Amino acid sequence: MPVSREIHLVRRPEGMPSPKDFALVEASAPDARDGEVLVQNLYMSVDPAMRPRLTAGQALNEAMMGGALGRVAQSRSDAFAVGDLVSNRQGFREYFVSDGKGLTKLNPDPDLPLTVHMHALGMTGFTAYGGLLFIGQLKEGEQVFVSTAAGAVGSVAAQIAKIKDCYVVGSTGAEDKAAWLRGEVGLDAVINYKETPIRQALEEATPKGLDVYFDNVGGDHLEAALRRMNTLGRIPVCGMISGYNSGQSPVRNLSNIIYSRVMLRGFVGTDFMHLYGDFQRDMAAWLKAGRVKYQETVLQGIAEAPAALIGLMEGRNSGKMLVKLAD
Ligand code: NAP
């Protein structure tokens, strides 16, 4: 019966979360009974959407929930064999027992690193793909702005827009990330919003206005984009991270959507599951051809999970934030 370390939320944060809001707790993982499996998590995904759940949704004094990739360590189920890799929502813990509900078997692509299935070739990349092509109705050659362009979702969205021969502007809050977007990714313009106010920088970077703004930030970034939207532009709203700590992401010029007849639509990845097969085919090919590049920030060990979540809110990740729990 292995000892499973897990992270509990012990206090609801106000504003930026602090390490004191979390506790590392040791529990014994029970053996699998008939019809069950014991899973050892290998990697857990750290996502901005966890922050709103710390305020409401995540129970106190229980192991936190989050996306993870695990390996079946014991099986008394006909559906799973020892060694199977399974995606699950039982992150923030090393081991758990399951009756199989909520586990999805993963057949990793042998030509790609395992972890890409947790970002570019997983739901993160799919969010960018469907958000841009289906919700945003992107057309070849359009003028595009992607915020948090060096992040997990943003970097994929920006590169898909480049593959579609668009003029692409990306924003980020750090110079090393800006350098990656300019040098490795080859965006047409890169904004460091901590150096130049986003409104001014976006105006200078978009002489032909914007047809699509892929919004990950809300607030000042959305306001700046609304000033630049061309007639019949589209704004797929993926996230509003600027308001996740405060609960507010104010925008004062929403009426611009009327004058320019702009479509503004929030979405989640499950809105376009019919595209998942196309996505997997396209993304695997783009990754193998080096047309989509990615970065990962991987912290080591379950004890680092709170630091990973806080670091995400502080912009200390380049690309996908992961915590490695086991080899
Ligand atoms: P990420 O971009 O890899 O990491 C978060 C980044 O946000 C940070 O590195 C930081 O980058 C930036 N950031 C933090 N606070 C900010 C602020 N106040 N203003 C501007 N930027 C700030 O995370 P991700 O997983 O790819 O998620 C990106 C967005 O997509 C989030 O809003 C998330 O909620 C959303 N999302 C939505 C869905 C969906 O289904 N709708 C699914 C996944 C993610 P810089 O250092 O560059 O500022």
Side-chain angles (χ1 to χ4, degrees):
M1 201 184 277
V3 171
S4 176
R5 294 179 300 163
E6 52 192 45
I7 300 292
H8 290 196
L9 178 69
V10 294
R11 186 177 75 176
R12 299 211 181 275
E14 286 179 18
M16 183 64 80
S18 126
K20 291 187 178 149
D21 299 329
F22 306 93
L24 180 66
V25 175
E26 283 193 2
S28 296
D31 287 328
R33 294 170 306 180
D34 276 349
E36 292 182 337
V37 290
L38 174 71
V39 177
Q40 180 180 24
N41 273 331
L42 307 178
Y43 285 95
M44 50 169 274
S45 169
V46 185
D47 297 284
M50 290 170 179
R51 172 60 190 92
R53 290 208 300 271
L54 302 182
T55 301
Q58 172 61 53
L60 290 172
N61 303 310
E62 281 182 13
M64 288 174 47
M65 303 299 283
L69 180 62
R71 187 194 293 119
V72 174
Q74 276 178 13
S75 178
R76 294 187 61 188
S77 158
D78 295 337
F80 299 93
V82 170
D84 280 353
L85 293 170
V86 286
S87 302
N88 64 80
R89 296 287 309 156
Q90 311 272 333
F92 288 94
R93 77 201 80 196
E94 292 176 314
Y95 289 89
F96 65 94
V97 167
S98 166
D99 62 4
K101 285 197 198 89
L103 300 185
T104 307
K105 250 194 240 184
L106 180 75
N107 293 313
D109 189 316
D111 299 325
L112 291 168
L114 180 63
T115 49
V116 297
H117 293 273
M118 298 190 76
H119 49 88
L121 196 50
M123 278 310 280
T124 304
F126 185 53
T127 300
Y129 183 92
L132 197 61
L133 301 180
F134 181 69
I135 306 289
Q137 294 293 308
L138 184 79
K139 297 180 202 63
E140 299 228 339
E142 288 194 312
Q143 309 290 307
V144 179
F145 170 41
V146 178
S147 50
T148 71
V153 175
S155 61
V156 176
Q159 291 178 89
I160 293 173
K162 280 305 300 172
I163 287 168
K164 300 290 175 190
D165 287 328
C166 294
Y167 172 88
V168 185
V169 181
S171 66
T172 180
E175 206 38 52
D176 59 330
K177 300 188 208 182
W180 183 75
L181 290 170
R182 282 189 201 101
E184 286 283 313
V185 173
L187 296 193
D188 298 287
V190 178
I191 293 168
N192 182 338
Y193 67 88
K194 289 187 180 157
E195 287 196 338
T196 311
I198 186 68
R199 174 175 165 164
Q200 177 196 333
L202 193 62
E203 191 166 320
E204 289 167 5
T206 55
K208 295 184 181 169
L210 284 172
D211 302 306
V212 174
Y213 168 43
F214 190 98
D215 188 18
N216 285 317
V217 171
D220 58 349
H221 284 58
L222 178 54
E223 200 170 282
L226 281 165
R227 293 181 68 252
R228 304 297 301 150
M229 294 308 292
N230 294 331
T231 301
L232 297 177
R234 286 87 64 207
I235 305 181
V237 181
C238 179
M240 293 197 169
I241 196 167
S242 67
Y244 290 178
N245 279 324
S246 64
Q248 294 182 349
S249 216
V251 174
R252 294 163 297 185
N253 58 350
L254 201 53
S255 57
N256 282 25
I257 66 171
I258 305 166
Y259 316 132
S260 303
R261 279 94 86 205
V262 169
M263 189 278 298
L264 180 98
R265 180 171 159 192
F267 67 92
V268 293
T270 47
D271 291 345
F272 33 76
M273 285 313 288
H274 62 287
L275 295 177
Y276 202 72
D278 293 351
F279 157 72
Q280 288 211 305
R281 183 202 58 222
D282 289 347
M283 188 56 65
W286 292 334
L287 286 164
K288 286 173 193 174
R291 298 185 78 192
V292 169
K293 301 183 172 70
Y294 61 87
Q295 294 183 294
E296 296 173 342
T297 300
V298 186
L299 302 196
Q300 302 292 329
I302 186 84
E304 291 297 316
L309 181 51
I310 295 166
L312 195 67
M313 302 308 299
E314 291 176 341
R316 281 193 267 113
N317 61 308
S318 294
K320 180 68 192 174
M321 181 69 100
L322 296 170
V323 180
K324 185 173 181 181
L325 305 180
D327 285 328

